[in-house]
């Protein structure tokens, strides 16, 4: 059977927290401290099969997501959720739905996000079907002359 | 030949501004006034083949994108661009790259957006491949215990 | 350079009609006769790099698309165009836009197709975002109790 | 936990039928009457978080799907199912598989639809990989010189 | 209800092994013998609704996957898994995760595959967002001057 | 206008080689040396807008792609091309088509790769449409009892 319902990943045997040593143990601690949680998410336990990859992936994520930057944390979490919805990744949709709610989006705001996704997922396919050509002059989105 | 390089859409014959009458002419005026531009974008000229559809689509877009709402205009434009990149719609990517630049994103901020998309488009596929199971406890995204 | 603008495929060297022999020549003739055209489309010229694959692919396509079946030719061409739009394949969108127009769809009907695609590409992402659960009772689509 | 298995949507708290008032109650009634069912599908209950959005989305769907138009109801339902399969939306695939069966497609016809999707999902990627160039002359799909 | 949890496919009524006759029975036997298993996978039982389609699909799969060819069986199975992950097909991901493990990939090698998918799924979207132009000179991938 | 045909990226102003200083100049040198080319590809010139991101992305790519590992360089390049085709990224398809050809794949082998992609892109959608359930027993792909 491909799926073992007790496993955190159906594809690889993950590194449990109690079995982590060396670099993996260090990164596990850093993950829990940085994210303010008392467990290591299943995703990171699977990446730990290759400790160097776990480290590099964690570092890249922190570099991109861990500080405010130009866009701000809330906007970056909203983009992360949008990308996850467009990719159809159930695991990531679950994590980032929780993330943006905790960051302050109520249900009206969350539905507003889905409304924008609805509108553009539709318009995108419409324009791909229409084979619409680039306009000769520039314009600035559908939301008014802001 | 499928493609006529002079046409605004390779799929349907669009309604030119000088040929617009009635409802189409009214919506064309509203589009130009609302968006602050002196031409009707190719996309809307193609939708005008069905005047009711042009009207309903324009109204729905304005309802979703035309006022600040909870998310704010900038965030909604960023989401529109993200959805367009995930759908691979060249026309829409062009329009919304321009839109967010005009709204104030410089190249560093725009690349920051692409960085978030890069990270999550990658993590999404990784978790789909790993068949990662939902964690037993909730967490809140990869960006730290905000 | 990856792209040679004179080539029919940027990826492989295709088998030109004048160079076709044996099985490839026979299939080329069959393609032209069956489709009622006086040239072999670029796609088939590329597949001819592997004559067995050309034959099997042509036979499978004819088996699925070549007779009316339950759905009828027009509906099958419409589905082929829909799939091509969802996949973002420019070459196939061009071929099937032409195909459904020649089969009798005018611009109003073609836009109607894009309208359905617009609506459902949007609703699909909305439901993926909402993580909507299967309803306890069955219903029958959004178009009324037909 | 992100997922509450008792909920109709894991992302937002839906508006139950017994809690609906004003515009939401009216649209709920219209949905049940129009679709000929005795409950409001989970999707619409989630959209009701924003009553204006519920109304606009319902009206646009009815405008596109609710009358025969050029394509006919059956063809439009088939396109809706095709788009849902290409988007990978399980909820929508379930609804529209039921819809087309009730509208008269038997298992042979339904498999015929999947056959067309199989063929073109394959050919689309093949042509994207081959970077096939648009043919110099027009042709009309793979199904014969209809 | 759309989903019958006891069924092998929620969409069509499959042809059980004990009900198979004629061509279907013959292909079922060939499948079991060729694949070295004592049951017919759910996928093939569903295709059997159209015996000719079952046969043609099975023959095409065997032609492409059944012999070593230039790429070798392991590489072809890895590509099949990669395509399944990119399509988000849970059924196929399960089958091909098992396939490549049985063919000899351990967890480190399997994660290595997911690493490559992570990197390129990210870079693909980055370049689509950046609207990167083809380089004037050719290069040869990101892995060094091999 | 969104597109400046002279630019390497239509979205951001890239860092030209003659303008590179400090970390960017060092990474540019490393890229050229490692990849054995005498120019910096457009993609990397765009990433240089954020020097830290350029560095981190380059290091992660080298870590994953730069050494043989379990899968071998050729297999990893083939996976990179497959992912690019599934994502529909023209830029990446061009780069990796060249990469695998230079690494030794002739046109027959390259078409063989596209054949596998054709077969599984089709089967994936077929199983998503069929809502095929996981088999009770494990099997090992469609290519025979290897």
């Amino acid at each position: 059977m491909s799926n073992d319902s007790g496993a955190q990943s159906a594809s690889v045997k993950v590194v449990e927290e109690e079995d982590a040593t060396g670099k993996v143990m260090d990164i596990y601690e850093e993950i829990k401290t940085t994210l303010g949680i008392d467990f290591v998410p299943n995703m990171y336990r699977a990446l730990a099969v290759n400790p160097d990859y776990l480290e590099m992936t964690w570092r890249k994520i922190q570099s991109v997501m861990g500080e405010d930057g130009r866009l701000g944390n809330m906007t970056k979490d909203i983009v992360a959720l949008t990308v996850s919805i467009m990719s159809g990744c159930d695991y990531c949709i679950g994590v980032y739905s929780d993330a943006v709610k905790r960051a302050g989006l109520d249900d009206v705001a969350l539905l507003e996000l889905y409304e924008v996704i609805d509108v553009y997922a539709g318009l995108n396919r419409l324009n791909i079907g229409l084979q619409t050509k680039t306009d000769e002059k520039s314009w600035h989105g559908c939301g008014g002359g802001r």
Side-chain angles (χ1 to χ4, degrees), chain A residues 18-90:
Chain A
E18 55 268 29
D19 300 330
T21 56
K23 182 186 284 188
V24 171
M25 189 175 65
D26 294 345
I27 303 281
Y28 276 12
E29 279 312 304
E30 194 178 322
I31 288 171
K32 291 193 284 188
T33 304
T34 306
L35 302 187
I37 51 182
D38 63 356
F39 68 102
V40 176
N42 290 335
M43 177 181 86
Y44 290 114
R45 291 194 229 191
L47 302 195
V49 168
N50 178 349
D52 288 339
Y53 181 64
L54 171 67
E55 182 178 31
M56 195 160 331
T57 301
W58 169 249
R59 297 258 174 273
K60 182 168 176 180
I61 292 171
Q62 284 312 298
S63 166
V64 170
M65 300 299 286
E67 29 181 312
D68 255 317
R70 303 283 170 103
L71 298 180
N73 286 334
M74 173 64 98
T75 299
K76 289 195 283 193
D77 283 354
I78 286 171
V79 171
L81 177 54
T82 302
V83 173
S84 300
I85 291 170
M86 296 305 295
S87 296
C89 176
D90 292 334

Side-chain angles (χ1 to χ4, degrees), chain A residues 3 5 10 14-15 46-47 51 57-58 61 63 79 82 89 91 97 99 102 104 107 113 120 128 131 137:
Chain A
N3 291 303
S5 62
V14 309
V15 179
L47 302 195
T57 301
W58 169 249
I61 292 171
S63 166
V79 171
T82 302
C89 176
Y91 178 77
S97 296
R102 179 171 140 155
D107 279 7
L113 171 61
Y120 285 92
I128 289 170
Q131 306 175 270
K137 287 190 266 189

